[in-house]
């Protein structure tokens, strides 16, 4: 299922007909009906006055509601002519996507600023539901070059900027230093999963926790975090447009994960939130977003350690994906609202405010010039997340560009890790599903 088109070319080719993506059939909201990205031109805002009131839709990523309120208060003091209404649009990125879809269909009630995750925002770009920000960033003097390159470039498609980084993260390896000490283990994250497999029995023998390691809920972000395992085994969900989840290496990676639960019996699967389980001492280690860092440090009654993600038998570096969300502006609102929205997005991304948001959540400081001295003095673990950013890897096409694929990956992982399904069978079924999505919903747009 190979198709020689890279990511940027793919989205540059997206036409008005891309609105026919059958997202609902793949577990996500139907985002059809837009004008199409190729017809969304830069607008002229030179004679526009910003709206007096705008809505900001968010799911408060990383439990950020308090700091979001703080940022809004700061913004309104600096911009007394603009009121920002903080709207809880759901508890997850998927909730926001559904609410945004409903507002698009009704052609009313749209926000001015909306949080869009890594696997949802490009769908709205394809359908013309969000505007390019280039004219606004130029008019407002936004220093785009001061944003961290790997984060801001995630939203550059078709030669334009479609969102700005906001709650950006990588997974981190979290470990309980007290448990490691009790088990006689070194005070560091394991370099590979094989090394951790040697450590896990020692943690179990020490009787320090219910599980040596806790996987996250499979219905959550298994498609995101398990890229680490697949990449470590020398494969992935896909390579470019080739779906590779049924390869021998992919099956071996997922078999290893299943064995950690059923044969080794040292790993568990969280029913709610693995970061909360870890902070409660239920598990000695876990993989969780950097956005969970501050909450874990606050709630844990033990000394928390963090490290880079472990590698595998074939790759020990560049096995960590980026993720999270950016801030976008809908196309179906007035220029006055769009200008006010861009003014707010600029403010949120200013270096001082980027540092403030990072300090409150543990997410990446999205600006290069953000002064993290005070933040790191209080939370030195954030430096590990910043350092790991240099060895992150672009996510697999299959996860971020195939509509609904993330949910399908989660379902497959759940069958393997919570129902002990046959790994080879489940991964072959997943390939069939992903290839079907590609053939029906993506490939026709590439050849249009």
């Amino acid at each position: 299922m190979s198709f020689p088109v890279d990511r940027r070319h793919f989205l540059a080719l997206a036409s008005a007909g891309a609105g026919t993506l059958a997202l609902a059939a793949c577990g996500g909201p139907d985002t059809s009906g837009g004008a199409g990205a190729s017809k969304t031109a830069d607008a002229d805002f030179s004679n526009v006055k910003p709206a007096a009131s705008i809505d900001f839709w968010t799911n408060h990523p990383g439990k950020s509601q308090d700091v979001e309120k703080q940022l809004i208060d700061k913004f309104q003091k600096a911009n007394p002519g603009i009121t920002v209404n903080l709207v809880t649009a759901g508890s997850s990125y998927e909730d926001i996507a559904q609410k945004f879809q409903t507002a698009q269909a009704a052609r009313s009630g749209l926000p001015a600023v909306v949080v869009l995750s890594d696997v949802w925002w490009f769908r709205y770009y394809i359908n013309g539901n969000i505007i390019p920000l280039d004219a606004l960033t130029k008019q407002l003097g936004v220093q785009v070059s001061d944003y961290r390159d790997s984060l801001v470039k995630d939203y550059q498609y078709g030669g334009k900027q479609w969102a700005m980084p906001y709650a950006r993260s990588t997974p981190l390896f979290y470990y309980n230093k007290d448990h490691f000490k009790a088990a006689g283990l070194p005070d560091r994250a394991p370099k590979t999963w094989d090394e951790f497999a040697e450590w896990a029995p020692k943690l179990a023998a020490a009787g320090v926790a219910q599980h040596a390691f806790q996987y996250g809920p499979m219905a959550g972000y298994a498609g995101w975090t398990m890229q680490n395992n697949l990449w470590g085994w020398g494969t992935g969900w896909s390579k470019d447009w080739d779906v590779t989840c049924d390869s021998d290496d992919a099956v071996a990676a997922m078999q290893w994960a299943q064995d950690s639960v059923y044969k080794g019996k040292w790993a568990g699967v969280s029913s709610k939130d693995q970061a909360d389980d870890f902070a409660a001492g239920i598990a000695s280690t876990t993989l969780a977003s950097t956005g969970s860092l501050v909450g874990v440090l606050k709630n844990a009654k033990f000394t928390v350690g963090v490290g880079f993600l472990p590698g595998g038998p074939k790759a020990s570096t560049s096995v960590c994906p980026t993720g999270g969300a950016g801030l976008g502006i809908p196309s179906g609102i007035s220029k006055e609202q769009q200008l006010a929205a861009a003014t707010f997005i600029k403010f949120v991304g200013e270096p001082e405010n980027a540092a403030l948001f990072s300090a409150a959540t543990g997410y990446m400081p999205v600006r290069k010039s953000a002064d993290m001295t005070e933040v790191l003095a209080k939370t030195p673990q954030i430096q590990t997340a910043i350092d790991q950013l240099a060895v992150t890897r672009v996510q697999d096409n299959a996860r971020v560009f195939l509509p609904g694929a993330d949910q399908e990956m989660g379902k497959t992982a759940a069958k393997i890790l919570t129902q002990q399904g046959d790994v080879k069978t489940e991964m072959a079924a997943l390939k069939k599903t992903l290839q079907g999505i590609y053939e029906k919903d993506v490939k026709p747009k590439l050849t249009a």
Side-chain angles (χ1 to χ4, degrees):
M1 196 190 75
S2 178
F3 199 82
V5 180
D6 64 27
R7 294 169 167 248
R8 299 188 182 210
H9 193 194
F10 159 51
L11 289 174
L13 289 174
S15 67
T20 60
L21 288 175
L23 303 185
C26 303
D30 180 1
T31 56
S32 62
S38 61
K39 295 186 178 181
T40 306
D42 289 337
D44 181 6
F45 293 88
S46 58
N47 296 314
V48 176
K49 181 180 179 180
S53 179
I54 58 172
D55 289 345
F56 169 34
W57 282 12
T58 175
N59 62 311
H60 317 300
K63 302 178 182 178
S64 57
Q65 185 168 3
D66 289 343
V67 73
E68 287 176 334
K69 290 178 179 178
Q70 187 178 352
L71 288 170
I72 288 172
D73 288 343
K74 286 183 64 179
F75 172 79
Q76 291 178 162
K77 289 178 181 177
N79 300 271
I82 305 175
T83 297
V84 177
N85 306 303
L86 186 65
V87 178
T88 300
S91 60
S92 68
Y93 295 139
E94 290 70 28
D95 287 347
I96 291 182
Q98 185 63 62
K99 187 176 178 69
F100 192 56
Q101 142 68 16
T102 301
Q104 292 287 348
R107 298 182 183 276
S108 64
L110 286 167
V113 180
V114 59
V115 171
L116 299 172
S117 85
D118 50 357
V119 298
W120 290 104
W121 76 267
F122 80 93
R123 308 174 193 212
Y124 302 115
Y125 155 74
I126 289 175
N127 294 330
N129 297 145
I130 55 178
I131 65 169
L133 304 182
D134 305 83
L136 287 162
T137 57
K138 182 177 180 180
Q139 179 172 321
L140 296 174
V142 177
Q143 293 181 289
V144 178
S145 62
D146 187 49
Y147 279 80
R148 294 184 182 274
D149 296 339
S150 63
L151 303 184
V152 75
K153 287 180 180 178
D154 281 345
Y155 309 102
Q156 293 174 354
Y157 285 95
K160 297 183 184 298
Q161 189 77 42
W162 296 93
M164 296 301 289
Y166 177 54
R168 296 306 311 279
S169 62
T170 64
L172 281 172
F173 185 90
Y174 290 77
Y175 66 98
N176 184 317
K177 290 195 172 194
D178 297 347
H179 289 184
F180 272 40
K181 184 177 181 179
L185 298 176
D187 184 7
R188 62 172 175 82
K191 295 179 180 179
T192 66
W193 284 113
D194 282 343
E195 182 177 46
F196 185 72
E198 296 174 358
W199 293 0
K202 296 179 181 179
L203 286 165
V208 290
Q210 183 176 344
H211 296 122
F213 180 80
Q214 190 84 321
Y215 292 99
M218 295 295 102
Y221 298 103
W224 181 49
T225 58
M226 298 205 78
Q227 287 174 120
N228 162 247
N229 300 79
L230 295 170
W231 294 346
W233 266 256
T235 184
W237 296 117
S238 64
K239 182 178 181 180
D240 298 324
W241 293 113
D242 282 331
V243 175
T244 57
C245 65
D246 67 334
S247 68
D248 290 344
D249 287 333
V251 170
M254 297 301 287
Q255 186 65 61
W256 183 93
Q258 186 185 74
D259 289 347
S260 71
V261 176
Y262 292 99
K263 287 188 177 180
K265 299 185 184 299
W266 49 260
V269 180
S270 177
S271 60
K272 293 183 179 180
D273 187 319
Q274 74 272 30
D276 289 345
D277 293 347
F278 171 74
I282 295 172
S284 296
T285 65
T286 194
L287 291 193
S289 168
T290 55
S292 301
L293 178 57
V294 172
V296 167
L297 293 173
K298 179 181 179 181
N299 296 325
K301 306 299 183 184
F302 52 86
T303 306
V304 176
V306 295
F308 286 15
L309 269 59
K314 293 190 176 182
S316 58
T317 61
S318 298
V319 293
C320 179
T322 59
L327 298 178
I329 300 176
S331 58
I333 59 176
S334 69
K335 285 186 177 181
E336 289 77 12
Q337 288 180 303
Q338 289 171 346
L339 180 56
T343 303
F344 177 65
I345 291 174
K346 176 189 177 183
F347 184 85
V348 169
E350 292 291 356
E352 178 184 348
N353 296 323
L356 177 67
F357 188 80
S358 180
T361 62
Y363 280 112
M364 295 284 120
V366 298
R367 293 290 287 268
K368 298 173 185 174
S369 61
D371 184 357
M372 298 295 289
T373 304
E374 185 176 345
V375 175
L376 292 172
K378 295 180 179 178
T379 314
Q381 294 89 343
I382 291 176
Q383 186 64 55
T384 300
I386 296 172
D387 292 343
Q388 188 176 220
L389 192 59
V391 291
T392 53
R393 177 173 164 180
V394 174
Q395 292 194 65
D396 294 335
N397 281 19
R399 179 175 188 257
V400 293
F401 286 136
L402 298 185
D406 195 39
Q407 292 92 331
E408 296 298 335
M409 292 167 181
K411 291 176 185 176
T412 297
K415 290 176 182 177
I416 292 171
L417 294 185
T418 66
Q419 300 172 32
Q420 206 173 358
D422 180 76
V423 176
K424 189 172 184 177
T425 300
E426 297 300 339
M427 296 296 271
L430 176 62
K431 177 174 181 174
K432 183 177 180 180
T433 298
L434 297 183
Q435 186 161 343
I437 295 172
Y438 173 81
E439 296 290 345
K440 180 181 179 181
D441 299 330
V442 175
K443 188 175 180 180
K445 312 309 180 294
L446 296 175
T447 57

